[in-house]
Amino acid sequence: MTVVERAENSTASTLRLEDLRPAANQLSAQEFEEQYGSAFLLLSSTGFKQSKSATSTEVLLLDTEEAGERTAGVSVRVIPIRVSKNSLAHLITVGRTSKNDVIISDISVSRFHAFFKLRPTGGFQLQDAGSSNGTLVNGSSVCTKQAGPPTNVKSGDNIRFGQVDVTFLEVDAMRSYLAKFGD
């Protein structure tokens, strides 16, 4: 049985943050990763707090009472970064169409916009696929395969696909974030 169901009529192929919380508490780390993936993109209707250096996002782990006050009107969606039946070998594709592993239904996102790949030493790299509106990590352009090397991404990095801003979290950071707030 799946603990989380896909959101209907959302701007991306997303999960609701509040629905992931029970899974983070009920499943082992390995089960959670197997079911939901090893990294996530957080999409917020109001955005996350950007640090003064503007090079990464601060995902604050607040006390539950304080968090409830601060997040009352925030709608956070979670986009799992994981291989799907459409995957091209070791690449996790990002784009507007259903042929991608990560679907972001926004007109500023190209049909095949970018792709993630796992680094041999662990962690993720991101490369633009020649998109119309580009890909940025922490305000810096991500190269296409022909123009240069992929960009390493880590938890807390701000990524922009076209005009869509997201925050990247690896599985351990995501589970910590979810566990802090409980049910």
Side-chain angles (χ1 to χ4, degrees), residues 11-146:
T11 59
S13 178
T14 64
L15 305 170
R16 295 179 347 145
L17 182 66
E18 55 271 17
D19 289 342
L20 266 179
R21 288 183 180 133
N25 293 327
Q26 295 168 3
L27 301 175
S28 71
Q30 182 178 352
E31 291 170 328
F32 186 86
E33 186 171 346
E34 286 172 3
Q35 188 165 348
Y36 299 107
S38 54
F40 303 86
L41 300 175
L42 300 183
L43 176 67
S44 171
S45 62
T46 60
F48 286 87
K49 179 182 177 188
Q50 194 160 26
S51 65
K52 292 175 185 168
S53 67
T55 59
S56 66
T57 298
E58 240 181 286
V59 179
L60 302 173
L61 299 178
L62 306 170
D63 290 334
T64 305
E65 289 177 24
E66 185 180 354
E69 293 172 15
R70 285 191 161 173
T71 61
V74 177
S75 174
V76 178
R77 295 293 185 162
V78 179
I79 306 169
I81 298 174
R82 61 180 170 199
V83 181
S84 75
K85 63 181 179 180
N86 299 324
S87 294
L88 302 169
H90 64 287
L91 302 179
I92 301 170
T93 61
V94 178
R96 193 174 68 233
T97 68
S98 61
K99 294 181 180 180
N100 292 286
D101 301 307
V102 175
I103 303 164
I104 303 175
S105 301
D106 186 271
I107 194 68
S108 70
V109 176
S110 295
R111 285 181 284 232
F112 173 41
H113 195 95
F115 55 90
F116 288 95
K117 56 184 176 178
L118 284 169
R119 291 192 314 242
T121 57
F124 285 86
Q125 294 179 314
L126 179 63
Q127 197 139 39
D128 189 84
S131 66
S132 300
N133 293 316
T135 304
L136 304 174
V137 172
N138 300 324
S140 298
S141 292
V142 172
C143 295
T144 63
K145 189 173 183 178
Q146 297 78 14

